[in-house]
Amino acid sequence: MTLTRRPLLLGALGALAAPPAIRAQGSPAWNREAYLAAMRASGRETTMTEQTFSAIQARKPAAMRRIEGYLKSRFNNEADPAVLRAFEALPREYFHWNYEGRSNGATNAYEADPKPWGLGFGSALSDYLGQAYMTQACQAKPEHVALEIGTGSGFQAALLSRIVSKQYSIEIINPLGTAVQRIFSPLGLTNVETRVGDGFFGWPEVQGGFDIIIVTCAAQYVPPALIQQLKPGGRLVIPIGQPFRRGQFLYIYTKDEDGRVRSRKDVGVYFIPMTGAMMQQPRPREAQAPQ
């Protein structure tokens, strides 16, 4: 994902509760042995030397300073503490994995020049500054229920799960979505539920809808089901634009308590496209157009 002015690149209540199995990176609970055990439990057996693991950890403080500075530059000198705590709680190297090639990309974590990284099957792990931006744009709260369209690496879902009460996520690519379903439990992320399916239709079985819907692929228009499933007072953060072209923009939709929907054009972005029904049928008359 990419923001113009520096594009966003693509490709617990109260205090944030760290997951029970593995707490924030840098704590005694997260070490090389814990990393290797979590990778094994998620079906991604790998190796890593102590020296390599330590080098990755050493880069994280600088990345956290980058994230905080970036958010302050974008949000009137405000970096949401919940977003920063969520990043601190997650070991990003755990999510750097190519599922198609079965290769470990953990050594790329916390890079000084944030960029997207391939996951295989045409999907990508977005750059961490872009993910921080979109997370803060969601204005997530501990009582919220959130839906993500485009699970990908699982990092964005994991990130929001450290803030909201319940996180749902949908991935359309079957081998990727099936594999990523296994990565949350080894980190103790028990409030994440995923499935393989077409995010165009949302997750209608969830009673009451969603306070937050975040789309991590570029849609040509807003899927009507997502507007329908957005709660009054909720926020939909979605990239809109043509597939594989510049000129995509992030839009933020809000629904008033009376059901009226408003939208705001935000920043320029570049995402891989939403596939499935979005690519197969013309824009419905009821589909929301940006205001």
Side-chain angles (χ1 to χ4, degrees), residues 13-269:
L13 298 179
L16 183 69
I22 296 176
R23 296 188 181 275
Q25 214 173 1
S27 73
W30 186 250
N31 51 35
R32 173 178 169 271
E33 289 70 29
Y35 166 74
L36 294 175
M39 293 295 289
R40 187 180 309 113
S42 68
R44 301 173 297 163
E45 185 83 38
T46 191
T47 60
M48 180 179 290
T49 67
E50 188 68 53
Q51 182 179 14
T52 299
F53 182 84
S54 296
I56 294 169
Q57 312 316 303
R59 293 198 298 267
K60 184 165 187 177
M64 291 302 304
R65 290 192 294 272
R66 256 179 239 117
I67 291 167
E68 182 175 9
Y70 187 71
L71 292 177
K72 286 182 176 180
S73 74
R74 295 285 183 170
F75 292 96
N76 297 317
N77 206 35
E78 294 287 339
D80 187 343
V83 176
L84 296 177
R85 288 195 299 267
F87 263 94
E88 186 65 41
L90 289 176
R92 188 169 171 86
E93 67 272 17
Y94 178 78
F95 298 86
H96 273 271
W97 181 265
N98 187 298
Y99 289 87
E100 189 171 16
R102 301 293 300 172
S103 59
N104 191 339
T107 56
N108 298 315
Y110 309 116
E111 69 278 21
D113 181 20
K115 60 179 70 67
W117 298 93
L119 301 171
F121 305 109
S123 189
L125 167 62
S126 296
D127 78 277
Y128 60 79
L129 294 184
Q131 290 180 310
Y133 181 93
M134 289 186 70
T135 305
Q136 182 150 329
C138 287
Q139 297 186 5
K141 301 292 186 293
E143 66 273 15
H144 284 170
V145 176
L147 172 65
E148 177 196 22
I149 308 301
T151 310
S153 70
F155 186 84
Q156 183 67 69
L159 192 63
L160 275 168
S161 81
R162 298 298 77 202
I163 305 173
V164 303
S165 64
K166 180 68 176 182
Q167 174 68 49
Y168 295 87
S169 186
I170 304 172
E171 173 57 56
I172 197 169
I173 302 171
N174 195 316
L176 178 60
T178 301
V180 171
Q181 285 176 341
R182 300 181 61 182
I183 73 172
F184 301 102
S185 179
L187 290 187
L189 304 178
T190 58
N191 64 335
V192 182
E193 186 172 345
T194 70
R195 74 179 186 188
V196 174
D198 191 340
F200 183 88
F201 303 105
W203 200 315
E205 297 85 357
V206 175
Q207 295 296 314
F210 303 96
D211 303 282
I212 296 166
I213 300 178
I214 180 172
V215 181
T216 55
C217 47
Q220 298 178 55
Y221 55 84
V222 180
L226 300 188
I227 293 293
Q228 293 166 7
Q229 293 169 34
L230 190 66
K231 290 181 181 181
R235 294 171 72 84
L236 164 63
V237 178
I238 180 171
I240 297 179
Q242 294 302 308
F244 301 112
R245 294 185 184 178
R246 297 290 174 176
Q248 299 175 6
F249 284 89
L250 195 68
Y251 282 84
I252 299 176
Y253 285 79
T254 56
K255 183 182 282 190
D256 294 347
E257 293 298 332
D258 61 3
R260 181 179 178 181
V261 177
R262 305 173 187 271
S263 67
R264 173 172 64 82
K265 185 178 182 179
D266 199 62
V267 294
V269 296

